[in-house]
C-alpha cells in the first residue's frame, strides 16, 4: 500500500537526482517526466529514440524505465485504430530468468497514438508518450546475393537496363528501408514488409530467418526473367531479376 501510494514521487525524485549529476539514463522522458522510453526490437531498432516515426504494420517492443519493480502497471492507447499496446514479458535466459516487463506495439494505420502507462491498482497515469505511425512515401532496397559457386555474399547492382542478374541456386536477400515524405527512414519490421513473386519457378521465397529485420529472402531456382515486388506502407517497389545457368 505504502509503496504504491508514493511510487510516483519516488520515481520523480530519482529522475531529478540523476539529472543534477548528468543524465546518462537510457531512452527519453515521457510527457510527464516520470518514466523513460525507447524502442527495443532486436534486428529492427534496438535503443532507437521513441521520437522516430514507425511504418504502419510494424510490430515493435518498447522498453520503459523508471517503474518500480514491485508496481504492477498496465498500458492503453488513446487511438487504438492507429496503434495498440500490450504489456509483455521478455526474458534474457531460458527458464524465465532475467525477465522484465516491456510493452508490445501493434501499429495499424498512419496517425499518432499516445501510449499511457498507468498503475493497475490506483489507475494513476505514470507517464505517456506519443507513437508516430506513418505510411511510406517510398521504399529503398538493397539486393544481396550469395552464389552457390563461391558461397560469398555481396551486394549486387542492377544492369544498365535495371535488371538484377543472378546465377541459378543463388540465395537472395532484399533489404528494405521505407522513407517518409520528408525522406526520413521509418522504423520498420518484417511484419510491415511483404514480398510478392511473379514466377516462383524462376525466383521464389525461401524460409524467412528468425528476427524482425525488414528483409525478404528468396532463391534463384531456374533460368528466366521475373519480377519480385516489395510492398509496405501502401507502396510497391518492383525488382526485375534475370537468372542464368
Amino acid at each position: 500500500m505504502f509503496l504504491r501510494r508514493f511510487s510516483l514521487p519516488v520515481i520523480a525524485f530519482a529522475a531529478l537526482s540523476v539529472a543534477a549529476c548528468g543524465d546518462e539514463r537510457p531512452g527519453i522522458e515521457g510527457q510527464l517526466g516520470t518514466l523513460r522510453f525507447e524502442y527495443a526490437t532486436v534486428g529492427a531498432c534496438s535503443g532507437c529514440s521513441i521520437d522516430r516515426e514507425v511504418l504502419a504494420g510494424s510490430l515493435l517492443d518498447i522498453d520503459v524505465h523508471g517503474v518500480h519493480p514491485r508496481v504492477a502497471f498496465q498500458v492503453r492507447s488513446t487511438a487504438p485504430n492507429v496503434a495498440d499496446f500490450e504489456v509483455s514479458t521478455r526474458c534474457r535466459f531460458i527458464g524465465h530468468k532475467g525477465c522484465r516487463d516491456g510493452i508490445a506495439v501493434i501499429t495499424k494505420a498512419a496517425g499518432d497514438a499516445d501510449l499511457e502507462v498507468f498503475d493497475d491498482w490506483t489507475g494513476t497515469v505514470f507517464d505517456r508518450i506519443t507513437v508516430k505511425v506513418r505510411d511510406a512515401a517510398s521504399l529503398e532496397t538493397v539486393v544481396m546475393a550469395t552464389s552457390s559457386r563461391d558461397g560469398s555474399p555481396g551486394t549486387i547492382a542492377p544492369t544498365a537496363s535495371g535488371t538484377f542478374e543472378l546465377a541459378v541456386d543463388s540465395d537472395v536477400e532484399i533489404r528494405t528501408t521505407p522513407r517518409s515524405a520528408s525522406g526520413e527512414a521509418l522504423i520498420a519490421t518484417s511484419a510491415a514488409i511483404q514480398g510478392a513473386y511473379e514466377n516462383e519457378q524462376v525466383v521464389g521465397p525461401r524460409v524467412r530467418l528468425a528476427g524482425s529485420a525488414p528483409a525478404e529472402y528468396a532463391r534463384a531456382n531456374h533460368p528466366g526473367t521475373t519480377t519480385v515486388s516489395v510492398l509496405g506502407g501502401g507502396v510497391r517497389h518492383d525488382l526485375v531479376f534475370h537468372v542464368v545457368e
Side-chain angles (χ1 to χ4, degrees), residues 151-236:
S152 58
T155 303
I156 60 174
T159 64
S161 63
T163 300
F164 293 89
E165 293 193 351
L166 299 170
V168 169
D169 293 334
S170 294
D171 287 335
V172 182
E173 179 181 350
I174 304 171
R175 300 178 182 178
T176 303
T177 301
R179 294 195 177 275
S180 66
S182 65
E184 294 295 319
L186 300 172
I187 298 175
T189 65
S190 57
I193 303 292
Q194 304 296 324
Y197 295 81
E198 179 187 41
N199 186 345
E200 295 185 9
Q201 296 298 314
V202 178
V203 176
R206 58 189 172 95
V207 176
R208 181 183 291 273
L209 300 178
S212 300
E216 184 68 23
Y217 300 95
R219 186 173 181 82
N221 296 316
H222 297 285
T225 301
T226 188
T227 299
V228 177
S229 301
V230 178
L231 305 96
V235 175
R236 178 188 182 110

Coordinates of all heavy atoms in Angstrom, one line a residue, residues 151-236:
G151 N 30.0 -19.1 -52.7 CA 29.4 -19.0 -51.3 C 29.7 -17.7 -50.6 O 29.4 -17.6 -49.4
S152 N 30.1 -16.7 -51.4 CA 30.4 -15.4 -50.7 C 29.3 -14.4 -51.0 O 28.9 -14.2 -52.1 CB 31.7 -14.8 -51.2 OG 31.7 -14.7 -52.6
P153 N 28.7 -13.9 -49.9 CA 27.6 -12.9 -50.1 C 28.1 -11.6 -50.5 O 29.2 -11.2 -50.2 CB 26.9 -12.8 -48.7 CG 28.1 -13.1 -47.8 CD 29.0 -14.1 -48.5
G154 N 27.3 -10.8 -51.2 CA 27.7 -9.5 -51.6 C 26.5 -8.7 -52.2 O 25.5 -9.3 -52.6
T155 N 26.7 -7.4 -52.2 CA 25.7 -6.5 -52.8 C 25.8 -6.6 -54.3 O 26.9 -6.5 -54.9 CB 25.8 -5.1 -52.3 OG1 25.8 -5.1 -50.9 CG2 24.7 -4.2 -52.9
I156 N 24.6 -6.7 -55.0 CA 24.6 -6.6 -56.5 C 23.9 -5.4 -56.9 O 22.9 -5.0 -56.3 CB 24.1 -7.9 -57.1 CG1 22.6 -8.1 -56.7 CG2 24.9 -9.1 -56.7 CD1 22.0 -9.3 -57.4
A157 N 24.4 -4.8 -58.0 CA 23.7 -3.6 -58.6 C 23.0 -4.0 -59.8 O 23.4 -5.0 -60.5 CB 24.8 -2.6 -58.9
P158 N 22.0 -3.3 -60.2 CA 21.3 -3.6 -61.4 C 22.1 -3.2 -62.7 O 23.0 -2.4 -62.6 CB 20.0 -2.7 -61.4 CG 20.4 -1.6 -60.5 CD 21.4 -2.1 -59.5
T159 N 21.8 -3.9 -63.8 CA 22.5 -3.5 -65.0 C 21.9 -2.2 -65.5 O 21.1 -1.6 -64.9 CB 22.2 -4.6 -66.1 OG1 20.8 -4.7 -66.3 CG2 22.7 -6.0 -65.6
A160 N 22.5 -1.8 -66.7 CA 22.0 -0.5 -67.3 C 20.5 -0.5 -67.6 O 19.8 0.5 -67.6 CB 22.8 -0.2 -68.5
S161 N 20.0 -1.7 -67.8 CA 18.5 -1.8 -68.1 C 17.7 -2.0 -66.8 O 16.5 -2.1 -66.9 CB 18.3 -3.1 -69.0 OG 18.7 -4.3 -68.3
G162 N 18.3 -2.0 -65.7 CA 17.6 -2.0 -64.4 C 17.3 -3.4 -63.9 O 16.6 -3.6 -63.0
T163 N 18.0 -4.4 -64.5 CA 17.7 -5.8 -64.2 C 18.9 -6.4 -63.3 O 20.0 -6.0 -63.5 CB 17.7 -6.7 -65.4 OG1 16.6 -6.3 -66.3 CG2 17.4 -8.2 -65.1
F164 N 18.5 -7.2 -62.3 CA 19.5 -7.8 -61.4 C 19.8 -9.2 -62.0 O 18.9 -10.0 -62.2 CB 19.0 -7.9 -60.0 CG 18.8 -6.6 -59.3 CD1 17.6 -5.9 -59.4 CD2 19.9 -6.1 -58.6 CE1 17.5 -4.7 -58.7 CE2 19.7 -4.8 -57.9 CZ 18.5 -4.1 -58.0
E165 N 21.1 -9.5 -62.2 CA 21.4 -10.8 -62.8 C 21.9 -11.7 -61.7 O 22.7 -11.4 -60.8 CB 22.5 -10.6 -63.8 CG 22.0 -9.9 -65.1 CD 23.0 -10.0 -66.2 OE1 24.1 -10.5 -66.0 OE2 22.6 -9.6 -67.3
L166 N 21.4 -13.0 -61.7 CA 21.7 -14.0 -60.7 C 22.0 -15.3 -61.4 O 21.6 -15.6 -62.5 CB 20.4 -14.3 -59.8 CG 19.9 -13.1 -59.0 CD1 18.6 -13.5 -58.4 CD2 20.9 -12.7 -57.9
A167 N 22.8 -16.1 -60.7 CA 23.1 -17.4 -61.1 C 22.1 -18.4 -60.5 O 21.6 -18.1 -59.3 CB 24.5 -17.8 -60.8
V168 N 21.8 -19.5 -61.1 CA 20.9 -20.5 -60.6 C 21.4 -20.9 -59.2 O 22.6 -21.1 -59.0 CB 20.7 -21.7 -61.5 CG1 20.0 -22.8 -60.8 CG2 19.9 -21.2 -62.8
D169 N 20.5 -21.1 -58.3 CA 20.8 -21.6 -56.9 C 21.4 -20.5 -56.0 O 21.9 -20.8 -54.9 CB 21.8 -22.8 -56.9 CG 21.1 -24.0 -57.5 OD1 19.9 -24.1 -57.4 OD2 21.8 -24.9 -58.0
S170 N 21.4 -19.3 -56.5 CA 21.8 -18.2 -55.6 C 20.8 -17.9 -54.5 O 19.6 -17.9 -54.8 CB 22.1 -16.9 -56.4 OG 23.2 -17.1 -57.3
D171 N 21.2 -17.6 -53.3 CA 20.3 -17.1 -52.3 C 20.3 -15.6 -52.3 O 21.3 -14.9 -52.5 CB 20.8 -17.6 -50.9 CG 20.6 -19.0 -50.7 OD1 19.6 -19.6 -51.3 OD2 21.3 -19.6 -49.9
V172 N 19.1 -15.0 -52.2 CA 18.9 -13.6 -52.3 C 18.3 -13.0 -51.1 O 17.4 -13.6 -50.5 CB 18.0 -13.3 -53.5 CG1 17.8 -11.8 -53.7 CG2 18.5 -13.9 -54.8
E173 N 18.8 -11.9 -50.7 CA 18.2 -11.1 -49.5 C 17.9 -9.7 -50.0 O 18.8 -9.0 -50.5 CB 19.2 -11.1 -48.3 CG 18.6 -10.3 -47.2 CD 19.6 -10.2 -46.0 OE1 20.6 -11.0 -46.0 OE2 19.3 -9.4 -45.1
I174 N 16.7 -9.3 -49.9 CA 16.3 -7.9 -50.3 C 16.0 -7.1 -49.0 O 15.1 -7.3 -48.3 CB 15.1 -7.9 -51.2 CG1 15.3 -8.8 -52.4 CG2 14.7 -6.5 -51.6 CD1 14.0 -9.1 -53.2
R175 N 16.9 -6.2 -48.7 CA 16.8 -5.3 -47.5 C 16.1 -4.1 -47.9 O 16.4 -3.4 -48.9 CB 18.2 -5.0 -46.9 CG 18.9 -6.3 -46.5 CD 20.3 -5.9 -46.0 NE 21.1 -7.1 -45.6 CZ 22.3 -7.1 -45.2 NH1 22.9 -5.9 -45.0 NH2 22.9 -8.2 -44.9
T176 N 15.1 -3.7 -47.1 CA 14.2 -2.6 -47.5 C 14.2 -1.5 -46.4 O 14.2 -1.8 -45.2 CB 12.7 -3.1 -47.6 OG1 12.7 -4.1 -48.6 CG2 11.8 -1.9 -48.1
T177 N 14.3 -0.3 -46.9 CA 14.2 0.9 -46.0 C 13.1 1.8 -46.5 O 13.1 2.4 -47.5 CB 15.5 1.7 -46.0 OG1 16.6 0.9 -45.6 CG2 15.4 2.9 -45.1
P178 N 12.0 1.8 -45.7 CA 10.9 2.7 -46.0 C 11.2 4.1 -45.6 O 11.9 4.4 -44.6 CB 9.7 2.2 -45.2 CG 10.3 1.5 -44.1 CD 11.7 1.0 -44.5
R179 N 10.8 5.1 -46.4 CA 11.0 6.5 -46.1 C 9.7 7.3 -46.1 O 8.8 7.0 -46.9 CB 12.0 7.1 -47.1 CG 13.4 6.5 -47.0 CD 14.5 7.3 -47.7 NE 15.8 6.7 -47.5 CZ 16.6 6.9 -46.4 NH1 16.2 7.8 -45.4 NH2 17.8 6.3 -46.3
S180 N 9.7 8.3 -45.3 CA 8.5 9.2 -45.2 C 8.6 10.2 -46.3 O 9.5 10.3 -47.0 CB 8.5 9.8 -43.8 OG 9.6 10.7 -43.7
A181 N 7.6 11.1 -46.3 CA 7.5 12.1 -47.3 C 8.7 13.1 -47.2 O 9.1 13.7 -48.1 CB 6.2 12.8 -47.3
S182 N 9.2 13.2 -45.9 CA 10.3 14.1 -45.7 C 11.6 13.5 -46.0 O 12.7 14.1 -45.9 CB 10.3 14.6 -44.2 OG 10.5 13.5 -43.4
G183 N 11.6 12.2 -46.3 CA 12.9 11.5 -46.7 C 13.5 10.8 -45.5 O 14.5 10.1 -45.7
E184 N 12.9 10.9 -44.3 CA 13.5 10.2 -43.1 C 13.2 8.7 -43.2 O 12.1 8.3 -43.6 CB 12.9 10.8 -41.9 CG 13.2 12.2 -41.6 CD 14.7 12.4 -41.3 OE1 15.3 11.5 -40.6 OE2 15.3 13.4 -41.8
A185 N 14.1 7.9 -42.7 CA 13.9 6.5 -42.7 C 12.9 6.1 -41.5 O 13.0 6.7 -40.4 CB 15.2 5.8 -42.4
L186 N 11.9 5.3 -41.9 CA 11.0 4.9 -40.9 C 11.4 3.6 -40.2 O 12.0 2.7 -40.9 CB 9.6 4.6 -41.6 CG 9.0 5.8 -42.3 CD1 7.7 5.3 -43.1 CD2 8.6 6.9 -41.3
I187 N 11.2 3.5 -38.9 CA 11.4 2.2 -38.2 C 10.4 1.2 -38.8 O 9.2 1.5 -38.9 CB 11.2 2.3 -36.7 CG1 12.2 3.3 -36.1 CG2 11.4 1.0 -36.0 CD1 12.0 3.6 -34.7
A188 N 10.9 0.0 -39.2 CA 10.0 -1.0 -39.8 C 10.5 -2.4 -39.4 O 11.6 -2.6 -39.1 CB 10.0 -0.9 -41.3
T189 N 9.5 -3.3 -39.3 CA 9.8 -4.7 -39.0 C 9.3 -5.5 -40.2 O 8.6 -5.1 -41.0 CB 9.2 -5.2 -37.7 OG1 7.8 -5.1 -37.8 CG2 9.6 -4.3 -36.5
S190 N 9.6 -6.8 -40.1 CA 9.3 -7.7 -41.2 C 7.7 -7.8 -41.3 O 7.2 -8.2 -42.4 CB 9.9 -9.1 -40.9 OG 9.5 -9.6 -39.7
A191 N 7.0 -7.6 -40.3 CA 5.5 -7.7 -40.3 C 4.9 -6.6 -41.3 O 3.8 -6.8 -41.8 CB 4.9 -7.5 -38.9
A192 N 5.7 -5.5 -41.5 CA 5.1 -4.5 -42.4 C 5.6 -4.5 -43.8 O 5.2 -3.8 -44.7 CB 5.5 -3.1 -41.8
I193 N 6.6 -5.4 -44.1 CA 7.2 -5.5 -45.4 C 6.9 -6.9 -46.0 O 7.3 -7.9 -45.3 CB 8.7 -5.3 -45.4 CG1 9.0 -3.9 -44.8 CG2 9.3 -5.4 -46.8 CD1 8.6 -2.7 -45.6
Q194 N 6.3 -7.0 -47.1 CA 6.0 -8.3 -47.7 C 6.5 -8.4 -49.1 O 6.7 -7.4 -49.8 CB 4.4 -8.4 -47.8 CG 3.7 -8.3 -46.4 CD 4.1 -9.4 -45.4 OE1 4.3 -10.5 -45.8 NE2 4.2 -9.0 -44.2
G195 N 6.8 -9.6 -49.6 CA 7.2 -9.9 -50.9 C 6.2 -10.5 -51.8 O 5.4 -11.3 -51.3
A196 N 6.1 -10.2 -53.0 CA 5.2 -10.8 -54.0 C 6.0 -11.3 -55.2 O 6.8 -10.6 -55.7 CB 4.1 -9.8 -54.4
Y197 N 5.8 -12.6 -55.6 CA 6.6 -13.2 -56.6 C 5.8 -13.5 -57.9 O 4.7 -14.1 -57.8 CB 7.2 -14.5 -56.1 CG 8.1 -14.3 -54.9 CD1 7.7 -14.1 -53.6 CD2 9.5 -14.2 -55.1 CE1 8.5 -13.9 -52.6 CE2 10.4 -14.0 -54.1 CZ 9.9 -13.8 -52.8 OH 10.8 -13.6 -51.8
E198 N 6.3 -13.0 -59.0 CA 5.6 -13.2 -60.3 C 5.7 -14.6 -60.7 O 4.7 -15.2 -61.2 CB 6.2 -12.2 -61.3 CG 5.6 -12.4 -62.7 CD 6.3 -11.6 -63.8 OE1 7.6 -11.6 -63.7 OE2 5.7 -11.0 -64.6
N199 N 6.9 -15.2 -60.6 CA 7.1 -16.6 -61.1 C 8.0 -17.3 -60.1 O 9.2 -17.1 -60.2 CB 7.6 -16.6 -62.5 CG 7.7 -18.0 -63.1 OD1 7.6 -19.0 -62.3 ND2 7.9 -18.1 -64.4
E200 N 7.5 -18.1 -59.2 CA 8.3 -18.7 -58.2 C 9.2 -19.8 -58.7 O 10.1 -20.3 -58.1 CB 7.4 -19.2 -57.0 CG 6.7 -18.2 -56.3 CD 6.0 -18.7 -55.1 OE1 6.1 -19.9 -54.7 OE2 5.2 -17.9 -54.4
Q201 N 8.9 -20.3 -60.0 CA 9.7 -21.2 -60.6 C 11.1 -20.6 -61.0 O 12.1 -21.3 -61.0 CB 9.1 -21.8 -61.9 CG 7.8 -22.5 -61.6 CD 8.0 -23.8 -60.8 OE1 9.0 -24.5 -61.0 NE2 7.2 -24.0 -59.8
V202 N 11.1 -19.3 -61.2 CA 12.4 -18.6 -61.5 C 13.0 -18.1 -60.3 O 14.2 -18.5 -59.9 CB 12.1 -17.5 -62.5 CG1 13.4 -16.8 -62.8 CG2 11.5 -18.1 -63.8
V203 N 12.3 -17.3 -59.5 CA 12.8 -16.8 -58.2 C 11.6 -16.9 -57.3 O 10.5 -16.4 -57.5 CB 13.2 -15.3 -58.3 CG1 13.6 -14.8 -56.9 CG2 14.4 -15.1 -59.2
G204 N 11.9 -17.7 -56.2 CA 10.8 -17.9 -55.2 C 11.3 -17.6 -53.8 O 12.5 -17.5 -53.5
P205 N 10.3 -17.5 -52.9 CA 10.7 -17.3 -51.5 C 11.4 -18.5 -50.8 O 11.1 -19.6 -51.2 CB 9.3 -17.0 -50.8 CG 8.3 -17.8 -51.6 CD 8.9 -17.7 -53.1
R206 N 12.2 -18.2 -49.9 CA 12.8 -19.2 -49.0 C 12.4 -18.9 -47.6 O 11.9 -17.8 -47.3 CB 14.3 -19.4 -49.2 CG 15.1 -18.2 -48.9 CD 16.6 -18.4 -49.4 NE 17.4 -17.2 -49.3 CZ 18.1 -16.9 -48.3 NH1 18.2 -17.7 -47.2 NH2 18.8 -15.8 -48.3
V207 N 12.7 -19.8 -46.7 CA 12.2 -19.7 -45.3 C 12.8 -18.4 -44.7 O 14.0 -18.2 -44.8 CB 12.7 -20.9 -44.5 CG1 12.3 -20.7 -43.0 CG2 12.0 -22.2 -45.0
R208 N 12.0 -17.6 -44.1 CA 12.4 -16.3 -43.5 C 13.2 -16.6 -42.3 O 12.8 -17.4 -41.4 CB 11.2 -15.4 -43.2 CG 11.6 -14.1 -42.6 CD 10.4 -13.3 -42.2 NE 9.6 -12.9 -43.3 CZ 9.9 -11.7 -44.0 NH1 10.9 -11.0 -43.5 NH2 9.2 -11.4 -45.0
L209 N 14.4 -16.0 -42.2 CA 15.2 -16.2 -41.0 C 14.5 -15.6 -39.8 O 13.7 -14.6 -39.9 CB 16.6 -15.5 -41.2 CG 17.4 -16.1 -42.3 CD1 18.7 -15.3 -42.4 CD2 17.7 -17.6 -42.2
A210 N 14.8 -16.1 -38.6 CA 14.2 -15.6 -37.4 C 14.7 -14.1 -37.2 O 15.9 -13.8 -37.4 CB 14.6 -16.4 -36.2
G211 N 13.8 -13.3 -36.7 CA 14.2 -11.9 -36.5 C 13.2 -10.9 -37.0 O 12.2 -11.3 -37.7
S212 N 13.4 -9.7 -36.8 CA 12.4 -8.7 -37.1 C 12.8 -7.7 -38.2 O 12.1 -6.8 -38.6 CB 12.0 -7.8 -35.9 OG 11.5 -8.6 -34.9
A213 N 14.0 -7.9 -38.7 CA 14.6 -7.0 -39.8 C 13.7 -7.0 -41.0 O 13.2 -8.1 -41.4 CB 16.0 -7.5 -40.2
P214 N 13.4 -5.9 -41.6 CA 12.6 -5.8 -42.8 C 13.3 -6.3 -44.0 O 13.9 -5.5 -44.8 CB 12.2 -4.3 -42.9 CG 13.4 -3.6 -42.2 CD 13.9 -4.5 -41.1
A215 N 13.3 -7.6 -44.2 CA 14.1 -8.2 -45.4 C 13.2 -9.3 -45.9 O 12.5 -10.0 -45.2 CB 15.4 -8.7 -44.9
E216 N 13.4 -9.5 -47.2 CA 12.8 -10.6 -47.9 C 13.8 -11.6 -48.4 O 14.9 -11.1 -48.9 CB 12.0 -10.1 -49.2 CG 11.2 -11.1 -49.9 CD 10.0 -11.7 -49.1 OE1 9.5 -11.0 -48.2 OE2 9.6 -12.8 -49.4
Y217 N 13.6 -12.9 -48.2 CA 14.6 -13.9 -48.5 C 14.1 -14.7 -49.7 O 13.0 -15.3 -49.6 CB 14.9 -14.7 -47.3 CG 15.5 -13.9 -46.1 CD1 14.6 -13.5 -45.1 CD2 16.8 -13.6 -46.1 CE1 15.1 -12.7 -44.1 CE2 17.3 -12.8 -45.0 CZ 16.5 -12.4 -44.0 OH 17.0 -11.6 -43.0
A218 N 14.9 -14.9 -50.7 CA 14.5 -15.6 -51.9 C 15.6 -16.5 -52.4 O 16.7 -16.5 -51.9 CB 14.0 -14.6 -53.0
R219 N 15.2 -17.3 -53.5 CA 16.2 -18.2 -54.1 C 16.0 -18.2 -55.6 O 14.9 -18.2 -56.1 CB 16.1 -19.6 -53.5 CG 17.2 -20.5 -54.0 CD 17.2 -21.8 -53.2 NE 18.2 -22.8 -53.7 CZ 19.5 -22.7 -53.2 NH1 19.8 -21.8 -52.3 NH2 20.3 -23.6 -53.6
A220 N 17.1 -18.1 -56.3 CA 17.0 -18.3 -57.8 C 16.9 -19.7 -58.2 O 17.9 -20.5 -57.9 CB 18.3 -17.6 -58.4
N221 N 15.8 -20.2 -58.7 CA 15.6 -21.6 -58.9 C 15.9 -22.1 -60.3 O 16.5 -23.1 -60.5 CB 14.1 -21.9 -58.6 CG 13.7 -21.6 -57.1 OD1 14.5 -22.0 -56.2 ND2 12.6 -21.0 -56.9
H222 N 15.4 -21.4 -61.3 CA 15.6 -21.8 -62.7 C 15.9 -20.6 -63.6 O 15.5 -19.5 -63.3 CB 14.4 -22.5 -63.2 CG 14.1 -23.8 -62.5 ND1 14.8 -24.9 -62.6 CD2 13.1 -24.1 -61.5 CE1 14.3 -25.9 -61.8 NE2 13.3 -25.4 -61.2
P223 N 16.5 -20.8 -64.8 CA 16.8 -19.7 -65.7 C 15.5 -19.0 -66.1 O 14.5 -19.7 -66.3 CB 17.5 -20.4 -66.8 CG 18.1 -21.6 -66.3 CD 17.1 -22.1 -65.2
G224 N 15.6 -17.7 -66.3 CA 14.4 -17.0 -66.8 C 14.5 -15.5 -66.2 O 15.4 -15.1 -65.5
T225 N 13.4 -14.8 -66.6 CA 13.3 -13.4 -66.1 C 12.0 -13.2 -65.4 O 10.9 -13.7 -65.9 CB 13.4 -12.4 -67.3 OG1 14.6 -12.6 -68.0 CG2 13.3 -11.0 -66.8
T226 N 12.0 -12.6 -64.2 CA 10.8 -12.5 -63.4 C 10.9 -11.2 -62.5 O 12.0 -10.6 -62.4 CB 10.6 -13.7 -62.5 OG1 9.3 -13.6 -61.9 CG2 11.7 -13.8 -61.5
T227 N 9.8 -10.9 -61.9 CA 9.7 -9.7 -61.0 C 9.4 -10.1 -59.6 O 8.5 -11.0 -59.4 CB 8.7 -8.7 -61.5 OG1 9.0 -8.3 -62.9 CG2 8.6 -7.5 -60.6
V228 N 10.1 -9.5 -58.7 CA 9.8 -9.7 -57.3 C 9.4 -8.3 -56.8 O 10.2 -7.3 -57.0 CB 11.0 -10.2 -56.4 CG1 10.7 -10.3 -55.0 CG2 11.4 -11.6 -56.9
S229 N 8.3 -8.2 -56.1 CA 7.8 -6.9 -55.7 C 7.9 -6.9 -54.1 O 7.6 -7.8 -53.5 CB 6.4 -6.7 -56.1 OG 6.2 -6.7 -57.5
V230 N 8.3 -5.7 -53.6 CA 8.3 -5.5 -52.2 C 7.2 -4.5 -51.9 O 7.1 -3.4 -52.5 CB 9.7 -4.9 -51.7 CG1 9.7 -4.6 -50.3 CG2 10.8 -5.9 -52.1
L231 N 6.4 -4.8 -50.9 CA 5.2 -4.0 -50.6 C 5.3 -3.6 -49.1 O 5.6 -4.5 -48.2 CB 3.9 -4.7 -50.9 CG 3.7 -5.2 -52.3 CD1 4.1 -6.7 -52.4 CD2 2.3 -5.0 -52.8
G232 N 5.0 -2.4 -48.8 CA 4.9 -1.9 -47.4 C 4.5 -0.5 -47.3 O 4.8 0.4 -48.1
G233 N 3.6 -0.2 -46.3 CA 3.1 1.1 -46.1 C 2.4 1.8 -47.2 O 2.5 3.0 -47.4
G234 N 1.7 0.9 -48.0 CA 1.0 1.5 -49.2 C 1.8 1.7 -50.4 O 1.3 2.3 -51.4
V235 N 3.1 1.3 -50.4 CA 4.0 1.5 -51.6 C 4.4 0.1 -52.1 O 4.6 -0.8 -51.4 CB 5.2 2.3 -51.2 CG1 6.2 2.4 -52.3 CG2 4.8 3.7 -50.7
R236 N 4.6 0.1 -53.4 CA 5.1 -1.1 -54.1 C 6.3 -0.8 -54.9 O 6.4 0.2 -55.6 CB 4.0 -1.7 -55.1 CG 4.4 -2.9 -55.9 CD 3.4 -3.2 -57.0 NE 3.7 -4.4 -57.7 CZ 3.0 -5.6 -57.6 NH1 2.0 -5.7 -56.8 NH2 3.4 -6.6 -58.3

